[in-house]
Amino acid sequence: MQLSLLDVPNPEDAARIRVDELRRLLEQHNRLYYVLDSPEISDAEYDALFRELQRLEDQYPGLISLDTPTHRVGGSALDKFSSVTHRLPMLSLENATNDVEIREFDLRVKKYLGLPQEELIPYLCEPKMDGLAVELVYTDGLLSVASTRGDGITGEDVTENIRTIRSLPLRLSGGRIPRLLEVRGEVFLSLDAFRRINSEKEENGEAPFVNPRNAAAGSLRQLDPRITARRPLSVYCYAPGAADGADFPSQQEFFAAIAGWGLPVNPLVRPVAGIEAAVAFYEEMQQQRESLPYEIDGTVIKVDSFVIQRELGEKSRSPRWAVACKFPPRQAVTLVEDILHSVGRTGVITPVALLRPVEISGVTVSRATLHNWDEIALKDIRIGDTVVVERAGDVIPAVVRVLTEKRSGTEQPSLPPEHCPQCGSEVVRIADEVAVRCMGLACPPQFRESIMHFASRNAMDIEGLGEKFIEQLLSLGLVSSVADLYFLSRDDLMKFERMGEKLASNLLAAIENSKQRDLGRFIFALGIRHVGERTAKSLALAFGSLENLERATLEELVSIRDIGATVAQSIRTFFDNQGNIAVIRRMLEAGVTPAVEQKKIGGRFTGKCFVFTGALSRFTRDEARILVENEGGNAVGSVSKKTDYVVAGEDAGSKLAKARELGVTVLSEEDFLELLGREE
DNA sequence: TAGCCTCGAGTTCA
DNA sequence: CTCGAGGCTA
């Protein structure tokens, strides 16, 4: 830049120019080093530039900006992570575990699109990194928020930690930077980095990480970013989230665009035509697996075109346009030392194999569920058998098969018990059901589990009332039904081991607090057979109060969506039991007020039952159902005496006829909308 | 009546 | 995560 003599250069302006230049240089060399793996300057030269920038920023704090490379490591530790809601949910992928299932995915895609079987769909194949999914938000080209996947809807804000990843640009480079760009990626640790961290840990006498995935997860969840900065994490980006100011026609072009902006993309991604080439990629990666510098647990196949992706859409939890192809899980061989019988909340007795401890991909496994006795018989698992064990989905241990050639003849088959191992009651196997049940009404483990269920997070959410306390409540005989929880005194609690004033107050407060839970949670907490979280919620919605539910007839119950004869009968049986009614009464007397969810109050359709039939033009069937449910009614599939309204579209057939026959009010779509919006 | 899809229930280890 | 079972739909 040429300065005229008339310009009196203000030193801060000069510094600003140099600072901008230094930042650009540092980012550029970072990228050459970490992403392209072809450094153009020495480490010493890089350090010199870095220190010069630091010096200038110290001198002129006004020049410090969000994207400065000297601030990759934020100042101080956090107390906890705040949560971030993803603009678009981060879905998980459906799994295929072999080439047959991969081909089935391809057939499903073509069937859904109405394409002939021989069509070659353009796919994009990627290695599936074994790490953690994150979402990065770039606002006007600046990395503003980074969050973990969490439950797919809401994750944790790990921005400070993500900023320490050197291969990730804090500011996008190149042209046509969108106003908003969300990219999803996988954060991982290279095998090199993993080994280095573990040898350091061992030198310090700390326990090493089990595998690179755990090490990456542990590093990313550090509250102090200075610790994360010492763990050389990496990231590969693979999918778009929301975007404003950018539109990508295909996955392939998305990769090209983000790579152009400096975001790291796995160089092994490959566009292919047709499923056979995708299967070949999967097999190739399996071969290469051991020689890659990082862990992968499979490959991902995506329909390349975003237009076709949108056409295929999503099922509830996963898109139809992608599949995760998992490599066969790593297995181990061990001995079945014993088979135990465990009793669950509903009385179902489950056989559990006690295994000689064995390590599978870094984790020591010592138990595995055998599900039921059909499964045992099918695989012919006996006590003393040598078996192959794997971790299903790399988490839950499962016995795959018996090595019969290792049998000595002394192995003992395991039979379902005739009496409950815990309470001695008779054990029943209901016809056509696989499960074996203890029918004991006062079976201790069943009772213990039902209290655990009652207090659990998704039910009454009584914080602090865990396994240990419940054990003590029971052994001290303080509780003989869940209602007794609401009559506990401070003195009662003080009888517990390791219970101080503070803990007792907290627990009492938590119990008191739980009296306000909404009706759905309360119904769920009761533990009625076949009534889980979801069903409990729709019951609360449909009946609006405990009294209404208690009085509901089988017919009324069956008219609710997703409730059939079995579930209805189970609910009726529960409320016909005088013991159950007495327990509920006692809870209500204690001040438990299962409130109806806010939006249901004053719902116009409370307790009303709708049937939609014919071709609807103003809304889809699903939208209509939501409209009705938001007003406290339900929408069902078939017309019965319980139906209050039938909403008929074009060409309504037998349901309309039946409605007329039963004298049910028939509405047009317009009538329905009017009814919906009328009173107010 | 078969073949989805969704829900419920049980479960592992650190 | 996985299995079984219940409910709905073609």
Side-chain angles (χ1 to χ4, degrees), chain A residues 334-571:
Chain A
T334 189
L335 198 71
V336 177
E337 292 184 326
D338 201 358
I339 295 180
L340 301 183
H341 304 156
S342 90
V343 184
R345 164 169 70 92
T346 58
V348 172
I349 299 177
T350 314
V352 178
L354 278 194
L355 306 169
R356 173 166 297 172
V358 65
E359 193 178 291
I360 309 178
S361 52
V363 174
T364 308
V365 167
S366 58
R367 320 158 58 94
T369 176
L370 299 173
H371 296 115
N372 55 59
W373 272 271
D374 277 12
E375 182 95 358
I376 294 186
L378 192 71
K379 293 179 179 163
D380 190 22
I381 301 166
R382 303 179 194 177
I383 298 166
D385 264 337
T386 304
V387 292
V388 175
V389 179
E390 68 181 30
R391 297 210 297 152
D394 263 352
V395 184
I396 296 176
V399 173
V400 184
R401 64 173 206 277
V402 176
L403 299 176
T404 41
E405 65 275 18
K406 299 249 176 160
R407 282 210 172 134
S408 68
T410 58
E411 291 77 14
Q412 293 293 312
S414 160
L415 293 173
E418 290 179 8
H419 295 279
C420 172
Q422 301 285 330
C423 72
S425 307
E426 197 189 347
V427 160
V428 173
R429 179 164 184 167
I430 298 162
D432 292 341
E433 268 188 33
V434 174
V436 172
R437 277 208 162 74
C438 160
M439 301 310 267
L441 286 173
C443 179
Q446 279 185 59
F447 184 49
R448 190 189 62 220
E449 292 297 319
S450 68
I451 296 182
M452 297 256 285
H453 170 76
F454 186 84
S456 68
R457 214 184 54 226
N458 293 328
M460 297 301 268
D461 193 17
I462 306 180
E463 214 184 319
L465 189 62
E467 200 169 342
K468 287 281 172 303
F469 287 147
I470 291 174
E471 292 279 1
Q472 295 191 59
L473 282 172
L474 293 177
S475 57
L476 291 170
L478 288 171
V479 165
S480 54
S481 81
V482 285
D484 292 336
L485 290 174
Y486 293 100
F487 293 90
L488 287 173
S489 69
R490 179 172 292 266
D491 289 346
D492 290 334
L493 292 183
M494 294 310 285
K495 293 178 195 154
F496 285 19
E497 292 163 28
R498 266 178 291 149
M499 172 66 76
E501 289 287 341
K502 178 107 186 179
L503 216 50
S505 308
N506 286 349
L507 197 49
L508 284 175
I511 292 173
E512 185 61 30
N513 218 308
S514 74
K515 291 179 180 174
Q516 311 300 325
R517 298 286 172 258
D518 65 46
L519 183 59
R521 278 167 173 268
F522 185 78
I523 296 171
F524 175 52
L526 293 174
I528 304 169
R529 262 236 272 161
H530 297 125
V531 178
E533 219 176 327
R534 191 78 185 215
T535 309
K537 207 152 271 169
S538 42
L539 287 171
L541 233 89
F543 290 97
S545 76
L546 202 57
E547 292 71 36
N548 286 346
L549 175 62
E550 190 185 321
R551 281 196 297 263
T553 63
L554 280 180
E555 207 176 19
E556 283 172 306
L557 288 165
V558 169
S559 75
I560 293 163
R561 208 187 147 75
D562 292 329
I563 292 181
T566 313
V567 181
Q569 186 55 59
S570 163
I571 295 167

Side-chain angles (χ1 to χ4, degrees), chain A residues 583-605:
Chain A
V583 170
I584 293 174
R585 291 270 172 278
R586 250 164 69 75
M587 284 195 275
L588 297 181
E589 279 160 26
V592 178
T593 45
V596 179
E597 291 79 351
Q598 197 69 50
K599 59 178 177 181
K600 265 56 232 175
I601 291 172
R604 287 172 191 85
F605 298 161

